[in-house]
Amino acid sequence: MGATSGQGRQAGGTPRAAMADLLAGNRRFVSGQPVHGHDVTAAAAASGDQQPYAVVLGCIDSRVPLEAIFDQTFGAICVIRTGGHVLDRAVRGSIEYVVGQLGVPLVMVLGHERCGAVQATVEALRIGQRPGGSLAHLVDEIAPAVTEAGIDDPAVLPLAIRRHVRRTVRTLRQDDLLAGPVATGRVAVVGGLYDLATGEVALLDPG
C-alpha cells in the first residue's frame, strides 16, 4: 500500500479542489488533449511516498479505465474496481485506509451507461433465477436498485444504474470510519456517471 501520510497530494486539500482537478482532467480527456503520458518516467517520479488526492471506485468494465478517463498520472488517485462497483468488506476497508491514513479528501463512486453487471441483475430478477457462485453477491447487492427503479419499467437499466450509484454513495457516507470525516466536511463522497460514447463524466445529485 505504500507509506502513510496525513495529507492529500496537495497540502490542505479539500473536496472542492479534488473535484475540480478530477473534472478538469476529464475535460482534457474528452477534448483529446491529455497532459499525462503515463510513461515510465512518471512511474519513477511517483515511486516514493504516495500522496493521492482522491479514491475512485468504479466498475471492472474494460471500456472505463479510470486513470485514463480522468487523465491522471502515477500517484494521483487510488483506484478500486469491482463488478458494478459493488461494495464488500475489502473495498470498504481499502477506502477507509486511503481516507484515514493517506488523508484523501474525495471518494468518487463512478457508474457507467450500459453496465453489464446491472443488466445481468435485471435479467436475473426478471426470470427469478439467482446465479451461482460469488456472482450471486453482485446480483444481491445491485438488486435493490433494480427493484426501486421498477423491474417492468422500459427504462429500468439506466434508472437502476443511477440508483445503484446513489445507494453506494449513501452506504459509504454512513460507513463507521467515514461518517465523521464526511460530517465535518474534510471528506466528500460523491457519485458520477460515465458516458461510454462521449467519454464525459457527469456528477449525480444525491437523489
Side-chain angles (χ1 to χ4, degrees):
M1 286 185 174
T4 61
S5 169
Q7 295 292 329
R9 184 163 64 98
Q10 299 173 339
T14 64
R16 183 183 296 273
M19 177 65 68
D21 208 341
L22 272 183
L23 295 181
N26 181 244
R27 287 192 291 273
R28 295 194 301 273
F29 171 72
V30 171
S31 68
Q33 298 177 318
V35 300
H36 299 299
H38 299 126
D39 57 29
V40 69
T41 58
S47 62
D49 290 354
Q50 61 169 323
Q51 295 182 317
Y53 71 89
V55 55
V56 182
L57 170 60
C59 182
I60 60 170
D61 194 296
S62 62
R63 299 165 295 179
V64 194
L66 299 180
E67 291 93 343
I69 68 173
F70 287 117
D71 188 29
Q72 298 300 309
T73 191
F74 293 90
I77 63 175
C78 293
V79 168
I80 303 171
R81 299 175 70 174
T82 65
H85 58 79
V86 164
L87 295 173
D88 61 19
R89 290 184 66 187
V91 171
R92 292 176 69 153
S94 298
I95 295 173
E96 291 170 355
Y97 171 85
V98 173
V99 169
Q101 299 300 314
L102 301 184
V104 164
L106 179 69
V107 180
M108 174 179 277
V109 178
L110 186 67
H112 66 93
E113 301 288 4
R114 307 199 306 275
C115 179
V118 178
Q119 180 64 53
T121 302
V122 170
E123 294 171 359
L125 293 182
R126 280 180 172 167
I127 66 175
Q129 185 172 338
R130 188 171 179 264
S134 295
L135 179 57
H137 174 68
L138 298 185
V139 169
D140 290 345
E141 292 299 304
I142 298 171
V146 175
T147 301
E148 288 176 5
I151 192 66
D152 296 321
D153 193 313
V156 61
L157 181 58
L159 291 173
I161 288 169
R162 287 157 177 76
R163 285 182 176 272
H164 181 49
V165 170
R166 293 184 175 110
R167 287 178 61 88
T168 306
V169 167
R170 286 198 298 271
T171 298
L172 287 173
R173 286 176 177 172
Q174 297 167 3
D175 179 272
D176 290 344
L177 297 186
L178 301 180
V182 168
T184 64
R186 186 186 79 74
V187 172
V189 182
V190 301
L193 190 70
Y194 177 72
D195 189 311
L196 295 172
T198 67
E200 292 183 277
V201 170
L203 296 180
L204 296 180
D205 60 74

